Amino acid sequence: MRLADLSEHSGVSLATIKYYLREGLLPPGRRINATQAEYDESHLRRLRLVRAMIQVGRIPVATVREVLAHVDDDSLGLTFRLGAALWALPHPTEPSSDPEDDPSTTAAHTLVADLLARLGWRTTCEVGDLNPAHRALVAALATLDRLGYPLDTDDLLPYARTMEQAAAYDLDRMEILPTPREQAEYAVAGAVLFEPVLLNLRRLAQAEESGRRYGL
């Protein structure tokens, strides 16, 4: 398809598509002459992902560019490709700026280390303290502790086991897609668009369970 067709099929203006091309968010089309290029379904899929990241996820263009650079990096194995792309995304709970010798932070580090050991999860870069999600988890647990809501490993294990099942289902669905690039795009789309689905399902489930237990 030509650029005008890409605009028509996506609902994105020509000016915006040209901007995405200049910024490296959308790969160039296949050149067919000096002034025209041809685009395919992969461009349409990428364009929709970019729009979702910027409009729904409110992710800055520079961050979108970084995430997509990892998605497109064919030199990486799939685990590192997914990890690099997801690490580059903004994280809703940033790591605490409290000193490492703060008692609650120290306790949270110990708690997370014990939890990972109980789960048998590898404490490598994938789930170790270099991972933004690991650091955000420590920060959240430390904050809960300071507020008087401390948790222990037994409190967290049922949630972690449920997340294991969810992660397995995520990857099962991802593996339906034919190429590592499409799989990485799917993972990014899931992080931006599907995590709110899970959050709101949890809140609806809590409301339903509350009604069952306590009535209206």
Side-chain angles (χ1 to χ4, degrees), residues 115-206:
L115 176 65
L116 296 181
R118 291 274 297 274
L119 290 165
W121 292 4
R122 298 171 298 163
T123 53
T124 59
C125 62
E126 288 91 345
V127 298
D129 56 11
L130 293 178
N131 189 317
H134 183 288
R135 301 198 307 272
L137 176 60
V138 168
L141 292 171
T143 301
L144 283 167
D145 184 70
R146 291 186 204 100
L147 291 174
Y149 303 111
L151 296 169
D152 61 24
T153 305
D154 289 333
D155 294 324
L156 293 174
L157 271 171
Y159 292 100
R161 293 297 186 196
T162 300
M163 290 300 102
E164 279 187 321
Q165 295 175 352
Y169 187 59
D170 285 340
L171 296 186
D172 287 344
R173 289 177 57 83
M174 184 190 76
E175 288 170 359
I176 296 172
L177 297 169
T179 68
R181 183 169 302 181
E182 289 174 82
Q183 292 170 358
E185 287 179 340
Y186 176 87
V188 169
V192 174
L193 302 173
F194 198 68
E195 286 184 2
V197 173
L198 298 179
L199 170 63
N200 288 295
L201 279 174
R202 178 174 180 263
R203 290 178 178 173
L204 288 173
Q206 287 173 335

Side-chain angles (χ1 to χ4, degrees), residues 43-101:
H43 291 90
L44 185 58
R45 185 182 67 246
R46 174 60 61 86
L47 183 54
R48 287 169 174 162
L49 176 59
V50 169
R51 293 297 277 176
M53 294 174 73
I54 292 174
Q55 292 192 322
V56 180
R58 304 296 182 187
I59 300 174
V61 167
T63 303
V64 174
R65 187 189 304 112
E66 180 184 358
V67 171
L68 295 178
H70 296 307
V71 167
D72 293 334
D73 190 346
D74 293 327
S75 71
L76 296 176
L78 187 55
T79 295
F80 281 101
R81 194 173 197 162
L82 296 175
L86 296 179
W87 286 20
L89 287 170
H91 290 265
T93 305
E94 292 298 327
S96 171
S97 59
D98 295 306
E100 287 297 307
D101 59 356

Side-chain angles (χ1 to χ4, degrees), residues 1-15 17 44 47:
M1 68 183 86
R2 304 295 174 87
L3 198 61
D5 299 319
L6 184 61
S7 175
E8 181 180 353
H9 285 299
S10 65
V12 180
S13 70
L14 280 171
I17 294 174
L44 185 58
L47 183 54

